[in-house]
Amino acid sequence: MNAWEPVLVLLCIVAAGLALLYGVRAWLSGAHSPLEAGPFSGGLEPQEHAFSRFHVRWYPITMVFLAFDMEMLFMYPWVRVVSDIGPSAVIEMFLFLGILFAGVSYAWREGAFRWV
């Protein structure tokens, strides 16, 4: 049991800290009233609630955006080291871009970008 005593002490300290934090939050927080929808960005009243669901057609476009976002994430460091590594880095990047292009062409063929 001696080996588990530090773990139990730490667990008690963490539990006490969490209870203290929740107590301070409850003490400092204001009245809990529901938020009212007000004008945003364009100044017009919102048509639906902020937590409303998105149409399923948004998800493939989001995935394509994330794919190109990851492409930029990989291309910035690649630009810094491509001159040191040489032609193999160029081949690898074009292979990576080819895979991304294949994914976009598949999404295009399956109609992910059609809104009708």
Side-chain angles (χ1 to χ4, degrees):
M1 189 64 181
N2 285 337
W4 289 100
E5 284 178 6
V7 174
L8 291 175
V9 169
L10 185 61
L11 185 63
C12 289
I13 291 172
V14 168
L18 282 172
L20 179 71
L21 287 174
Y22 275 109
V24 168
R25 182 200 56 89
W27 180 57
L28 292 177
S29 66
H32 299 290
S33 60
L35 295 175
E36 304 221 0
F40 183 69
S41 186
L44 300 174
E45 291 292 327
Q47 299 298 319
E48 67 259 352
H49 195 271
F51 294 121
S52 63
R53 296 181 182 211
F54 289 104
H55 196 278
V56 73
R57 290 183 182 147
W58 280 103
Y59 294 104
I61 290 178
T62 303
M63 291 310 219
V64 170
F65 168 75
L66 287 175
F68 283 105
D69 202 31
M70 296 308 294
E71 171 196 1
M72 287 293 112
L73 183 72
F74 287 126
M75 283 187 91
Y76 285 139
W78 173 79
V79 168
R80 303 282 298 176
V81 299
V82 70
S83 60
D84 297 334
I85 296 176
S88 65
V90 176
I91 293 169
E92 288 175 6
M93 183 51 73
F94 277 107
L95 180 66
F96 178 68
L97 292 175
I99 292 170
L100 277 178
F101 181 72
V104 170
S105 62
Y106 173 76
W108 193 312
R109 186 187 75 194
E110 292 297 316
F113 302 121
R114 276 190 299 231
W115 290 92
V116 180

